[in-house]
Structures are given as C-alpha cells and as structure tokens.
Amino acid sequence: MSVVSILLLSAMPVFAQARDLGAGAMARPGDYSFQGGASVYSHVCQSCHMADAMGAVGAGAGYPALAKNPRLAEPGYPVSVILHGQKAMLPLGALLSDQQIADVVNYVRANFGNRYKDKVSAADVKAQR
C-alpha cells in the first residue's frame, strides 16, 4: 500500500463525517473533542498537510504546504478555508467549534516556519460562519 493510500484512508473518517452531516450541520459544531491547535492539527489536518505541514500530492489533488505559506498572513483566509472548504478540501466548519478553528489557525500561523503574531479569536471565526 502506498503512502498516499494510507494517508487517504486515514483521512476518510473526517471526510465521511463532513459529507454525512449534510445541510444544517452548521448547528452542530464541536463534534470533535480535540483541544488546542496542536491536537486539532494532528488529528484533523495532518492527514493531508503532513506532520511537517509541507503538503502532499495524491488522488488527483494537491494538498498545499502550510509551512512558510505567505497566504496565511491574512488570518481570515485560513479561517474561511477551514469553515467553507476550497478545492479538494471539504468544509470542516460542521465538525469543529469556533474555538477549535481559532486554535488550529493560530497554531499553524505560529509554527512550521510561519511567524504571524496576530491571533484569531473564536469570535472572529463565529463572524465568518
């Protein structure tokens, strides 16, 4: 089994739950209990973006690197992508609470070679929902 196959299989529960929640799921944030940005990243994001946040290519889609990513300079951008999805990334707003999204955005923006100091709050995430 290839590394890409293993990664896709490990991500399937997240994607299946996101798909199965369907319309109206926005009323059920917080289905995952992971606390803190590092924990959310390792349990939800790392399957596609890799442990080192360098991204990956597979299954006909690229998973962009989050490491040293200048697109993260604007804190609203990663919040929007997590909430609403983009390209191959499914929306995760139905699965994660406002605090979890703020925590993981702050974690990624302050790690992996990123040095963005301004923080996202749960209120900022709620405003974008």
Side-chain angles (χ1 to χ4, degrees):
M1 182 173 287
S2 73
V3 172
V4 172
S5 297
I6 293 168
L7 293 172
L8 289 173
L9 288 173
S10 68
M12 286 178 66
V14 171
F15 295 141
Q17 186 172 1
R19 183 196 65 235
D20 293 344
L21 288 173
M26 295 302 274
R28 294 176 35 198
D31 286 347
Y32 288 141
S33 62
F34 315 121
Q35 298 300 310
S39 181
V40 173
Y41 186 85
S42 69
H43 286 94
V44 180
C45 312
Q46 170 173 300
S47 295
C48 295
H49 295 284
M50 304 293 110
D52 60 3
M54 293 302 292
V57 176
Y63 303 99
L66 301 176
K68 298 181 182 178
N69 187 329
R71 296 188 85 179
L72 300 177
E74 168 52 49
Y77 173 74
V79 170
S80 178
V81 172
I82 293 168
L83 281 172
H84 308 294
Q86 182 181 50
K87 298 181 183 174
M89 182 166 165
L90 293 174
L92 298 175
L95 301 175
L96 300 172
S97 70
D98 295 341
Q99 188 62 57
Q100 288 172 309
I101 294 171
D103 289 347
V104 76
V105 167
N106 292 331
Y107 174 73
V108 170
R109 292 181 75 241
N111 292 282
F112 308 113
N114 299 311
R115 300 288 179 251
Y116 304 111
K117 303 276 187 221
D118 51 329
K119 300 286 185 187
V120 173
S121 69
D124 296 330
V125 176
K126 183 177 182 178
Q128 285 198 45
R129 267 195 198 273

